[in-house]
Amino acid sequence: MAVLSKKNRSFSPDKLTSNRALFWIAAVFAIVMIAPALWVLGLSFKDNTLLMRGSEAVFSAPYTLKNYTDLFHSSLVFRWFLNSMVVAVGQTVGVLTLSSLAGYAFARLEFPFRKTIFVIVLFGLAVPEQAVIIARHQMFSWLNMHNSYLGLMLPGMSSAFGVFLMTQFFRAIPKEIDEAALLDNTPRFRIFWKVLLPLTMPAQATLGIFTFLLAWNDYWWPLISATKKDMYTLTIGIASSQRNFAQTEGLGFLAAQAVFASLPVIIVYIFFQRNIVTAVSGGAVK
Amino acid sequence: MSATIDINSVTKAYGALTVLDDISLSIEAGEFVVFLGPSGCGKSTLLRMIAGLESVDKGTIHIGGERIDTLPPGKRGVAMVFQTYALYPHMTVAQNMAFGLENLKVDKAEIDSRVQSAAETLEMAHLLDRRPTKLSGGQRQRVAIGRAIVKEPKAFLFDEPLSNLDAALRSRTRLELAQLHQRLGSTMIFVTHDQVEAMTLAHRIVVMHDKKIEQIGTPMEIYQRPATRFVAEFVGSPAMSMMPITGIVSAQSSDQKGATLEVEGAGMVATQVPLPASFALDGATMGVRSEDTHVVQPGADGLNLTVTVVERLGERTLLYGKLDTGFEMIVEDSGRSTVRAGETVKFDFDRSALHVFDGTGRAYHMAEEA
Ligand SMILES: Nc1ncnc2c1ncn2[C@@H]1O[C@H](COP(=O)(O)OP(=O)(O)OP(=O)(O)O)[C@@H](O)[C@H]1O
Ligand SMILES: [Mg+2]
């Protein structure tokens, strides 16, 4: 693939110009996308009072680290960060575990009402969170699970998409691999764990990344479930510190919080770039 | 280690569709048996029943005297090589071979030595650390065979293991399999629909057709004395030519060795095949293999063949054509044949190499020489 495109690049002038055009189009898009992020980054280094006059101030000195030192002195931000981390990691682990087990079951096991249950799971894809949130709130309140990590994580763990994705992935693995393992005297769980699960790694990565990002950025459910300040996630915490009208005060501080909150997401992107590209392009890029 | 395999009245159905009907078969220890038959005749199903990958509806299977059809696949002491190889993609070649032994809690040093010796046998010691995705088709095939060898099974089961290889590699691997069998002396069952593989590898061929075993015999028996019309037409390339028998002039005269028949397109034919009085004439045919035919001089006795296609195979030439009566016939000529399509030639056939089939497809042959 790489060899081929290199060849094309050196031998075909048409390809050369079209590659250049693509580069510039991509560059323009990239700039449009990254500008607001850079803007926020800039704001986070500006004094709050300067920004009250107008955010153009971001283009000129003086810059300050005060917002960040304030951030590190406000004790709750770290608590919120920890909460977000626990919830996002817990939810991701939960989704991967449950989706893999369910996917294996739907793809490989015979049990009564398998097809019906699978269809019901697929309906889950079509049900918006808004439709069930009141009932869910009521349920968690009866169970006394609001303001707990479990309460924050559990709803996100039932991922219809995850079950669907893993089912499709397990189905795509040839049955002969299971059969070879059976002839190798492998117990069923060991076949799942040692033979099939490693083959689903690309799907695990995709599902894991998306679940983590979704959980990290989730706003609505934590807003309902976490009512005590020390159970806030970052999204809720940051929003809660935004009190004055149109945020004319403390804009720099808010930006610093936002930068801080997006660090894990950025780290995830940097580490899993390749998986994300593959996932988004539907496996077309190899 | 090798063991006998006894299949006793085995039946298999998928829902209403019966795939195997009352199959019985005994395989000797160390024997190389090939299941041969057209696509969909149930060869794979029978093999997978021996392996334990399909359940047995009725009947029993014993390996080495022990009943195994109720045991899980891993406890039957058999190893299988799949058509698609079914290697574990995320494991190296060595790990692929070791995996089954690890499950059996075989000693680590023992595993290493078995893997090493299998790799040497198959000349792939340099591949041990590679993943299957980095191997060619032929190499993957070897790994699949290696994975079977290290288990030191009572029997090897192969399901069309050569069909994904190119022609040259296929014939080489075929030879290597034969050598491997000689070295290991294990019982082997090999499924194929390729008759060349069957003829070259098998001690005995089991020809299967339509839920049943059609014939069990050595390659030569199958070829020279096919039990049924199906076997006669399925085995041999090109296929045996068939001519309808319209009458029996004499079933078995005392001075002659066999029956004299009235054959459409060939007239009176004095065969060496004795026929019983109960012979079912309706739908009966006489079969001739192309190698038992020869082109004769224009003036000589013989039948006319209007040639439609000439197939030059180098050492011989096959003439596909029609008799005067319109029946299709394949005649062999020498490699230097100058016959061209459209021409009419005269040919004759060897009266001592005829096969006679009655209306039910049952075959009759000349008496075996004592
Ligand atoms: N799981 C199944 N469910 C229903 N029918 C099946 C199943 N497996 C096989 N069959 C049917 O059983 C018959 C025998 O199949 P089998 O795979 O044994 O054929 P085969 O002789 O190996 O053919 P081939 O040479 O194409 O591999 C076929 O008609 C097939 O459609
Ligand atoms: Mg088959």
Side-chain angles (χ1 to χ4, degrees), chain A residues 109-125:
Chain A
L109 304 183
E110 285 294 336
F111 54 91
F113 306 113
R114 183 173 55 132
K115 284 189 183 133
T116 321
I117 297 173
F118 190 63
V119 170
I120 293 173
V121 169
L122 290 192
F123 274 135
L125 283 172

Side-chain angles (χ1 to χ4, degrees), chain A residues 169 173-174 177 194-203, chain B residues 87-90:
Chain A
F169 224 84
I173 300 173
I177 302 247
K194 282 280 186 180
V195 179
L196 298 181
L197 207 56
L199 299 181
T200 65
M201 273 311 146
Chain B
L87 300 176
Y88 310 126
H90 58 298

Side-chain angles (χ1 to χ4, degrees), chain A residues 26-203:
Chain A
V28 168
F29 271 105
I31 290 165
V32 169
M33 300 299 274
I34 203 158
L38 290 177
W39 188 267
V40 170
L41 189 66
L43 290 178
S44 73
F45 291 105
K46 294 298 292 184
D47 188 72
N48 284 320
T49 44
L50 269 177
L51 290 174
M52 282 176 75
R53 268 179 253 143
S55 52
E56 317 82 75
V58 76
F59 294 113
S60 53
Y63 295 103
T64 167
L65 282 173
K66 182 171 177 303
N67 293 324
Y68 286 96
T69 50
D70 285 355
L71 180 72
F72 295 129
H73 287 120
S74 110
S75 57
L76 274 180
V77 172
F78 286 97
R79 172 75 203 198
W80 297 337
F81 187 92
L82 177 76
N83 291 350
S84 277
M85 210 32 117
V86 169
V87 170
V89 169
Q91 198 164 310
T92 305
V93 170
V95 165
L96 292 183
T97 310
L98 294 175
S99 302
S100 301
L101 287 168
Y104 173 78
F106 281 124
R108 287 296 200 261
L109 304 183
E110 285 294 336
F111 54 91
F113 306 113
R114 183 173 55 132
K115 284 189 183 133
T116 321
I117 297 173
F118 190 63
V119 170
I120 293 173
V121 169
L122 290 192
F123 274 135
L125 283 172
V127 178
E129 196 182 13
Q130 288 82 340
V132 296
I133 199 118
I134 293 175
R136 191 197 282 168
H137 163 67
Q138 200 53 260
M139 241 168 77
F140 276 76
S141 128
W142 283 331
L143 294 169
N144 235 336
M145 278 171 75
H146 282 315
N147 286 309
S148 71
Y149 284 143
L150 210 56
L152 285 169
M153 287 188 285
L154 271 182
M157 281 192 195
S158 68
S159 165
F161 172 71
V163 173
F164 173 71
L165 183 79
M166 293 317 298
T167 303
Q168 294 307 98
F169 224 84
F170 277 111
R171 275 192 188 146
I173 300 173
K175 273 236 170 74
E176 277 96 358
I177 302 247
D178 300 50
E179 292 175 344
L182 275 177
L183 282 159
D184 268 345
N185 203 29
T186 324
R188 198 188 276 284
F189 187 75
R190 196 168 144 84
I191 295 181
F192 168 74
W193 187 249
K194 282 280 186 180
V195 179
L196 298 181
L197 207 56
L199 299 181
T200 65
M201 273 311 146

Side-chain angles (χ1 to χ4, degrees), chain B residues 42-232:
Chain B
K43 310 178 293 285
S44 296
T45 305
L46 185 55
L47 194 77
R48 291 165 57 83
M49 284 162 92
I50 299 170
L53 300 174
E54 300 285 349
S55 62
V56 175
D57 290 354
K58 265 195 222 129
T60 58
I61 303 175
H62 290 75
I63 295 181
E66 184 196 0
R67 179 164 178 191
I68 52 99
D69 55 283
T70 48
L71 299 178
K75 304 271 187 236
R76 296 186 178 198
V78 298
M80 184 157 169
V81 176
F82 294 83
Q83 180 174 0
T84 53
Y85 316 141
L87 300 176
Y88 310 126
H90 58 298
M91 298 184 196
T92 63
V93 168
Q95 287 167 339
N96 260 283
M97 292 201 274
F99 189 67
L101 300 178
E102 284 164 7
N103 291 334
L104 291 170
K105 307 266 186 290
V106 176
D107 188 53
K108 181 89 179 67
E110 168 76 11
I111 295 180
D112 285 346
S113 90
R114 285 203 214 173
V115 167
Q116 205 60 42
S117 91
E120 272 154 34
T121 303
L122 297 166
E123 291 164 24
M124 56 175 197
H126 60 294
L127 302 176
L128 282 176
D129 292 325
R130 286 214 211 154
R131 295 266 167 99
T133 43
K134 300 263 154 62
L135 299 177
S136 71
Q139 290 169 331
R140 284 179 206 187
Q141 226 278 343
R142 277 157 194 272
V143 179
I145 293 174
R147 188 168 65 177
I149 292 177
V150 293
K151 283 197 268 187
E152 299 178 357
K154 293 181 197 157
F156 287 82
L157 310 175
F158 298 93
D159 194 354
E160 308 201 25
L162 307 184
S163 58
N164 286 341
L165 304 179
D166 66 50
L169 196 55
R170 192 182 309 173
S171 59
R172 203 172 77 215
T173 313
R174 205 168 64 209
L175 198 70
E176 286 172 355
L177 267 181
Q179 289 166 344
L180 186 72
H181 176 255
Q182 269 176 1
R183 185 163 341 139
L184 299 176
S186 310
T187 313
M188 294 191 177
I189 304 181
F190 186 103
V191 164
T192 183
H193 54 245
D194 182 318
Q195 45 166 307
V196 179
E197 280 170 20
M199 300 288 285
T200 51
L201 284 171
H203 290 157
R204 283 194 301 162
I205 297 176
V206 177
V207 183
M208 297 176 63
H209 172 54
D210 193 22
K211 308 168 207 165
K212 294 269 190 199
I213 291 178
E214 201 83 2
Q215 184 174 6
I216 304 175
T218 63
M220 277 304 115
E221 281 167 1
I222 300 275
Y223 190 77
Q224 289 170 347
R225 303 178 72 80
T228 62
R229 182 173 166 178
F230 172 81
V231 176

Side-chain angles (χ1 to χ4, degrees), chain A residues 2-23:
Chain A
V3 178
L4 207 72
S5 61
K6 227 179 235 162
K7 225 188 209 165
N8 285 348
R9 223 172 273 159
S10 50
F11 286 114
S12 138
D14 279 359
K15 195 81 185 188
L16 196 70
T17 44
S18 84
N19 273 344
R20 259 196 203 148
L22 276 180
F23 171 80

